[in-house]
Amino acid sequence: MNFLSHFYFERFATTPERVVGSLLPDLLKNADKNFVLRPNNFEDKLSVNPLHLDLLKGWNGHVEVDRLFHNSDYFFHHTHEIKESIRQELIGLPIRPSFFAHIALELLLDHLLIVDKAISIAKLYTALEKVNRSALRSFLMISELKDITKFETFFDKFQSSQYLYEYADMQQLTRALFQICKRLWSFEVGEEQVLSVNSKLTAYMDANLIDFHKIYQYIHYEMIDFE
């Protein structure tokens, strides 16, 4: 799942560290695709500090949400159907349709959360602003992240850009999808192709994702005993 969907499961968190921890795996991946962190290997050291522990709980929640989502019938069904619906629109591009469909489903779910007013993006950014930066830095140091400066530079840019608001607009969301793909493949895409893909995704969403709450309900109930 993407940023807003992970935030959905921590929208009632009482500390910004819990929220930031739930976003941290994807923040790291976006900062540098080669960043690999295994904070649970250092749980004894991290559990001494309550702020570290909140970051770790958020991290573990993220991992569990992704595990449940990516192994759900919902995920397999909709990624397959989206892949088939946009396959023709991606002809001539190096993008793997299965990858595009995977990311498209995640961003469409984020879009639907915004439209449904199920989350407050402002509260997410407030958590990013208020997180204890010293605790976040020491969490990353203890977990042996190799380039904390690079992560912090990305974190500041992510916070200031506030681009998650753009996911309310389907055309902007479709452009974001292509930008994500450009991290893996080199290509140029014309406006006509962007609009064609956007039309397909919008039509699919309107016809097939009306019951999108079901995947959040499923994950919520599966995680009731998770801590």
Side-chain angles (χ1 to χ4, degrees):
M1 290 187 134
N2 198 51
F3 290 112
L4 296 181
S5 291
H6 280 292
F7 174 63
Y8 174 86
F9 293 103
E10 296 291 353
R11 66 196 186 282
F12 300 126
T14 57
T15 69
E17 287 72 32
R18 181 73 179 245
V19 172
V20 172
S22 74
L23 307 179
L24 195 50
D26 285 347
L27 289 169
L28 286 161
K29 182 171 59 179
N30 279 266
D32 189 321
K33 63 182 180 181
N34 295 313
F35 279 167
V36 177
L37 212 64
R38 296 184 176 87
N40 286 292
N41 292 349
F42 308 94
E43 186 172 357
D44 288 346
K45 292 181 179 179
L46 292 171
S47 61
V48 174
N49 185 330
L51 298 182
H52 289 166
L53 198 55
D54 276 345
L55 287 162
L56 185 60
K57 286 178 180 178
W59 177 286
N60 288 335
H62 175 113
V63 172
E64 182 65 5
V65 166
D66 270 357
R67 185 189 72 81
L68 290 166
F69 178 64
H70 292 137
N71 287 283
S72 68
D73 291 339
Y74 187 96
F75 173 80
F76 290 120
H77 170 73
H78 286 296
T79 51
H80 173 75
E81 294 300 316
I82 292 171
K83 178 182 69 176
E84 294 307 312
S85 73
I86 50 85
R87 186 185 293 276
Q88 292 298 313
E89 274 64 36
L90 298 182
I91 288 177
L93 297 174
I95 301 169
R96 193 167 70 247
S98 59
F99 175 86
F100 193 91
H102 177 161
I103 305 303
L105 176 60
E106 294 188 351
L107 266 60
L108 287 172
L109 288 172
D110 275 9
H111 170 80
L112 287 165
L113 287 175
I114 298 171
V115 171
D116 199 56
K117 296 181 171 56
I119 47 100
S120 166
I121 302 176
K123 287 184 178 179
L124 182 154
Y125 282 115
T126 296
L128 295 178
E129 180 184 350
K130 292 188 174 181
V131 68
N132 187 304
R133 291 295 290 265
S134 177
L136 178 59
R137 188 177 303 112
S138 56
F139 178 91
L140 296 173
M141 288 179 63
I142 292 170
S143 302
E144 298 185 352
L145 182 67
K146 301 302 181 185
D147 194 342
I148 293 174
T149 300
K150 184 173 186 178
F151 170 77
E152 291 183 327
T153 299
F154 169 81
F155 186 86
D156 290 338
K157 184 178 179 181
F158 180 88
Q159 181 179 338
S160 63
S161 70
Q162 301 202 351
Y163 74 82
L164 294 177
Y165 283 105
E166 296 178 3
Y167 288 178
D169 183 313
M170 276 298 298
Q171 286 191 26
Q172 290 297 96
L173 183 147
T174 302
R175 292 188 176 90
L177 273 167
F178 281 111
Q179 289 302 316
I180 291 169
C181 290
K182 285 184 177 182
R183 299 174 192 164
L184 299 177
W185 297 283
S186 178
F187 64 91
E188 294 299 326
V189 60
E191 183 67 7
E192 184 176 343
Q193 202 164 12
V194 171
L195 294 177
S196 179
V197 171
N198 177 70
S199 177
K200 289 284 188 177
L201 290 176
T202 301
Y204 184 86
M205 177 184 66
D206 290 344
N208 300 286
L209 298 182
I210 299 171
D211 62 347
F212 78 98
H213 283 293
K214 287 183 178 180
I215 186 59
Y216 293 97
Q217 292 167 356
Y218 163 74
I219 293 173
H220 171 75
Y221 287 116
E222 288 294 315
M223 291 188 67
I224 285 176
D225 297 324
F226 179 80
E227 268 293 339

